[in-house]
Amino acid sequence: MRRQKPDPAAAAEADERTVRIAAYALLAGRDFSRQELTERLLRKGYGATAVEEAIAVLVQEGFLREERYAEQFVTQHAGRGRGPVRIRMELRERGVDAETIDQALDATEADWVQAAREARRRKFGLSPPADYRERAKQARFLQYRGFSSDQIRAALGPGEDDPDA
């Protein structure tokens, strides 16, 4: 018996199909940015060409949408008490372009000042900072969380539900 040589076109098609199936399985759990999904599939050992082709098909079919990913990311992280500066940075690290990030941040209904107040309250309690040192400590915390300086100033000032206001 003679062994047949493997058909490279059939192997490439099967490989691309295998990569697509793996991508579908990952996307069934949660949304990914294009960069994240590419990195995941490459780490699994799939070839770069097959991964690129599979990603292109997923984008064309609408299974991989950066806009949807960014909007969900913003909603989820804003709900965790993170500010727009940090959310923007984390999305940029995940390969989302600036225009998509801006659209997602604009689309969110988050009140960033209120979110900063709530994050401060959860960490430090209801009473406003007593002295400059405590104020600076709380400001650094909010800055780390990704709030702008204007949002931090508003959050550290008297709020509408502050008993001393």
Side-chain angles (χ1 to χ4, degrees):
M1 269 203 203
R2 274 179 65 183
R3 285 184 64 178
Q4 288 183 328
K5 290 184 179 179
D7 181 14
E13 181 184 327
D15 192 30
E16 192 266 332
R17 192 174 336 128
T18 305
V19 173
R20 238 184 325 150
I21 291 169
Y24 288 135
L26 287 169
L27 288 169
R30 72 171 179 92
D31 278 325
F32 288 88
S33 71
R34 187 181 200 134
Q35 177 183 318
E36 279 182 316
L37 189 58
T38 300
E39 289 171 357
R40 279 275 183 98
L41 292 169
L42 290 173
R43 274 195 309 244
K44 286 183 176 259
Y46 297 114
T49 306
V51 169
E52 286 176 29
E53 291 171 4
I55 295 290
V57 170
L58 291 170
V59 169
Q60 183 181 7
E61 292 175 342
F63 287 106
L64 184 62
R65 288 192 33 233
E66 297 243 321
E67 298 83 12
R68 180 179 59 217
Y69 170 76
E71 286 173 9
Q72 289 178 346
F73 190 94
V74 169
T75 302
Q76 183 179 26
H77 287 260
R80 292 181 183 169
R82 299 222 173 96
V85 175
R86 183 164 179 179
I87 291 171
R88 180 183 304 279
M89 179 193 69
E90 289 179 5
L91 281 169
R92 219 177 292 135
E93 288 173 357
R94 287 164 172 78
V96 179
D97 64 275
E99 184 179 330
T100 304
I101 295 170
D102 289 340
Q103 289 172 356
L105 286 169
D106 291 342
T108 186
E109 296 179 8
D111 178 355
W112 296 112
V113 172
Q114 188 58 36
R117 280 190 183 123
E118 187 58 35
R120 188 201 71 75
R121 248 185 248 123
R122 273 187 294 211
K123 177 80 172 175
F124 299 104
L126 283 174
S127 58
D131 57 7
Y132 178 77
R133 188 172 156 186
E134 184 63 25
R135 185 177 176 86
K137 178 181 177 180
Q138 292 182 20
R140 280 191 306 274
F141 168 75
L142 292 172
Q143 184 179 19
Y144 169 75
R145 280 306 206 49
F147 293 101
S148 70
S149 56
D150 291 339
Q151 294 160 349
I152 292 170
R153 269 193 297 281
L156 293 177
E160 61 272 348
D161 58 341
D162 190 0
D164 298 331

